[in-house]
Amino acid sequence: MKKAVLIFVSGLVLALGLVSCKNPAKSNAGWNLTNVIPLDSIGAVGIAAAENGNLWLADADNNRLIKINATGAVREVHPGFERPMHIATRGNALLVAEYGADRLSVYQIPKRDTLGLDVGFDAPSGIDREAGLTAVADFYNHRIVLLDGKTVLSVSKKGTGPGELTYPTDVQFAHGKMFVADAYNHRVQVFTPQGKHLLTFGEKEKMNAATGIFVSDKNVFVTDFENSRLLIYNLEGQLQGILSETLNKPTDVVQIEDRLYVLNYSGRSVSVFRNLDK
Amino acid sequence: MKKSTLFCFLMLLNGIIFAQNDQFTLRVEGMGCPFCAYGLEKKFKDVKGIAQIKIDIQTGKMTFAVPAETSLTLTEADARVSKAGYTAKGISIKRSNGKTENMGDVNKAIVPTAMAGEGKIKQTFKVSGNCGMCEARIEKAARSVGGVEAADWHEDSKMVTVTFSKKTKLADIQQAIAKSGHDNAGAKADDSVYDKLPACCQYRDRAH
């Protein structure tokens, strides 16, 4: 009898353990809120790392780029960008997707080069560059465009199947792959840098517009706009945690060392999380 | 003296510039996402001489000015909004000659639902949709049918309540809603219409 009870209790403990192991989504994956940086009149959609702990913001509402410090104090203002959306810093250059002008800007202050006017973009919303290859999320054309300086390669088409896109908003090269925020398919898709589809994930989490993506050394962070959440996956696409504290319609995210900066478009703020394990 | 003369000249010049422009105010519901809102803005950029475009995503208000000679009408502005896949709840034009033209209400926050009275029918049925833009489109489609007095769709329940005269057929209302791109209890939208809905309104593709 004692043995039977022991087996039953052991089984129960094991079962509970399995259930908890299968439910990591409630975890914050080690990220704890430290502070919120108010942005007030800045209506930013994109965020990227700047030097010395500063941040670049693409102030789409006011057609400009802004550099702020960790407390939100404005350090620099760069006007003349038409609805800049997602941005990326690569080397000394700031890459800007100008949604309202159907063009890209490579900004090495004060020099500014314009790209893509002959590509036929319709609202470029995200951009990244690696090894001379520039990837662009072409929102209304439902595709990723790859530019190598000589040729233009169009990746994907509108659809809901594997490898197909519906209003992509952001793109990033990382780990030899290309990660795409497939916004209105509510998921993430991974391609080779040449455009071959490799992986799709995030559909189980019932996102409502995957508006921004950032890939770190271990994780893929995705902003879930309408649900005001940040979803954290490992590189294989398995959910590791969800952040929602202080988030308000987020559109972009960037990790700098042990801190995660989540840009709240409607909240007009940046929520800062810290992970002491990093 | 010179300063005051210059000031007067600038004020006069400013007055002349503004006097030659028609001022537009549009209210487009459901523009909660910057990608959608600035997408709508893009669809107006080829209007000749358009300037001073401002868009408030929180309220759904879009304002701009066009030269009077462009002669952009209420109907044309409404058609541009529709072509972009959105629904204007209200448009107001203040013409350069001081006249105003209105369609709908640019300030109205909520469309009230009338109670069914004598000789009226009140029906509730399911209509697929996702967001505030869907709400505006569904309600507008229902109200476009003769005899419909009120239509109120709820995002959470996906149910619309329509109040209409006894002479009006429910099937006609459901057909009108389907023609706007929304499947409902009585009719299914054509794929060609559905495909033109804005991204945030495409309910069929959703995983949930």
Side-chain angles (χ1 to χ4, degrees):
Chain A
M1 181 62 184
K2 277 185 182 174
K3 267 189 181 176
V5 172
L6 192 63
I7 289 168
F8 175 75
V9 171
S10 303
L12 191 65
V13 169
L14 186 64
L16 286 171
L18 284 174
V19 168
S20 63
C21 287
K22 280 187 175 179
N23 199 14
K26 288 178 182 173
S27 152
N28 64 3
W31 293 98
N32 294 298
L33 182 73
T34 62
N35 62 298
V36 176
I37 303 170
L39 297 179
D40 300 326
S41 60
I42 300 170
V45 170
I47 190 168
E51 76 291 341
N52 303 324
N54 294 324
L55 295 165
W56 280 112
L57 299 173
D59 185 3
D61 283 8
N62 300 296
N63 296 306
R64 60 189 183 172
L65 301 178
I66 303 266
K67 188 191 282 181
I68 62 168
N69 69 8
T71 64
V74 174
R75 294 299 190 207
E76 295 176 23
V77 177
H78 299 262
F81 293 86
E82 209 164 324
R83 303 299 183 209
M85 294 302 207
H86 288 298
I87 52 178
T89 39
R90 293 291 174 263
N92 295 325
L94 184 59
L95 312 174
V96 186
E98 289 190 74
Y99 193 85
D102 294 333
R103 70 184 177 209
L104 315 170
S105 281
V106 179
Y107 197 31
Q108 287 179 289
I109 301 167
K111 186 170 173 270
R112 181 175 163 187
D113 293 321
T114 300
L115 302 177
L117 287 170
D118 54 348
V119 173
F121 288 127
D122 191 355
S125 56
I127 182 170
D128 197 16
R129 177 180 279 182
E130 186 178 77
L133 189 64
T134 302
V136 182
D138 191 6
F139 188 77
Y140 279 108
N141 287 324
H142 311 283
R143 63 178 181 170
I144 298 298
V145 174
L146 296 172
L147 308 165
D148 65 3
K150 293 176 186 172
T151 57
V152 176
L153 177 65
S154 181
V155 175
S156 191
K157 59 176 183 175
K158 186 184 180 187
T160 58
E164 295 177 333
L165 301 169
T166 302
Y167 299 100
T169 48
D170 202 4
V171 60
Q172 186 186 331
F173 290 117
H175 308 285
K177 297 170 186 170
M178 183 169 70
F179 293 76
V180 178
D182 187 7
Y184 286 96
N185 279 331
H186 317 289
R187 64 189 185 183
V188 173
Q189 298 221 61
V190 187
F191 299 84
T192 66
Q194 292 74 38
K196 184 187 171 192
H197 176 250
L198 297 172
L199 180 65
T200 299
F201 62 87
E203 290 173 315
K204 285 180 192 167
E205 280 65 62
K206 298 185 178 178
M207 291 184 219
N208 197 342
T211 44
I213 193 167
F214 181 84
V215 186
S216 69
D217 56 344
K218 291 178 181 172
N219 292 116
V220 181
F221 301 95
V222 188
T223 51
D224 180 6
F225 184 77
E226 291 289 352
N227 294 320
S228 293
R229 300 185 300 178
L230 183 80
L231 303 174
I232 305 170
Y233 297 90
N234 65 15
L235 297 176
E236 288 72 46
Q238 292 159 331
L239 186 67
Q240 304 298 297
I242 298 174
L243 304 180
S244 60
E245 193 176 4
T246 71
L247 300 191
N248 186 354
K249 304 283 178 75
T251 51
D252 205 4
V253 54
V254 64
Q255 183 186 337
I256 305 171
E257 298 175 351
D258 65 349
R259 283 180 168 80
L260 197 60
Y261 298 86
V262 187
L263 176 61
N264 297 300
Y265 178 77
S266 292
R268 295 284 194 268
S269 62
V270 177
S271 298
V272 186
F273 297 84
R274 193 173 185 196
N275 193 330
L276 295 175
D277 298 333
K278 298 286 170 186
Chain B
M1 177 62 187
K2 277 183 181 175
K3 273 187 180 175
S4 61
T5 306
L6 182 64
F7 178 75
C8 289
F9 174 74
L10 288 173
M11 289 300 288
L12 185 66
L13 188 66
N14 191 47
I16 290 169
I17 289 168
F18 275 94
Q20 289 173 340
N21 280 339
D22 293 337
Q23 304 288 329
F24 280 71
T25 303
L26 287 77
R27 183 168 65 91
V28 182
E29 278 206 353
M31 284 198 306
C33 150
F35 298 95
C36 293
Y38 292 131
L40 175 64
E41 178 190 64
K42 274 192 89 208
K43 305 303 176 190
F44 272 84
K45 277 194 170 173
D46 64 335
V47 174
K48 194 178 176 185
I50 192 165
Q52 303 163 31
I53 303 175
K54 287 183 183 171
I55 198 154
D56 184 337
I57 290 168
Q58 305 297 331
T59 62
K61 271 194 183 176
M62 180 182 180
T63 57
F64 58 85
V66 294
E69 61 267 26
T70 303
S71 302
L72 185 68
T73 66
L74 280 171
T75 309
E76 286 165 351
D78 187 40
R80 277 182 178 271
V81 175
S82 297
K83 196 176 176 184
Y86 302 86
T87 304
K89 288 286 241 182
I91 302 175
S92 175
I93 310 173
K94 188 176 180 186
R95 296 291 183 192
S96 59
N97 60 11
K99 289 184 178 175
T100 58
E101 298 169 32
N102 294 296
M103 190 169 81
D105 190 338
V106 292
N107 295 311
K108 208 171 186 177
I110 299 166
V111 179
T113 305
M115 295 300 289
E118 197 176 331
K120 302 286 188 299
I121 296 170
K122 196 172 185 179
Q123 283 276 356
T124 299
F125 56 93
K126 188 176 180 184
V127 181
S128 298
N130 293 324
C131 58
M133 275 198 295
C134 295
E135 180 184 7
R137 191 181 305 104
I138 291 163
E139 292 175 0
K140 185 178 180 182
R143 286 198 301 271
S144 72
V145 178
V148 173
E149 290 193 354
D152 188 17
W153 181 81
H154 288 273
E155 187 179 332
D156 293 339
S157 66
K158 315 292 182 199
M159 303 297 281
V160 68
T161 300
V162 189
T163 308
F164 52 99
S165 75
K166 283 184 175 174
K167 289 180 181 175
T168 303
K169 293 177 183 171
L170 176 64
D172 291 345
I173 300 169
Q174 292 173 329
Q175 278 295 337
I177 293 172
K179 280 182 182 174
S180 75
H182 291 272
D183 296 344
N184 60 75
K188 189 172 184 294
D190 285 345
D191 290 346
S192 59
V193 180
Y194 175 82
D195 287 343
K196 287 176 185 167
L197 291 175
C200 53
C201 300
Q202 295 197 351
Y203 49 87
R204 289 181 192 165
D205 299 338
R206 302 219 156 196
H208 54 288

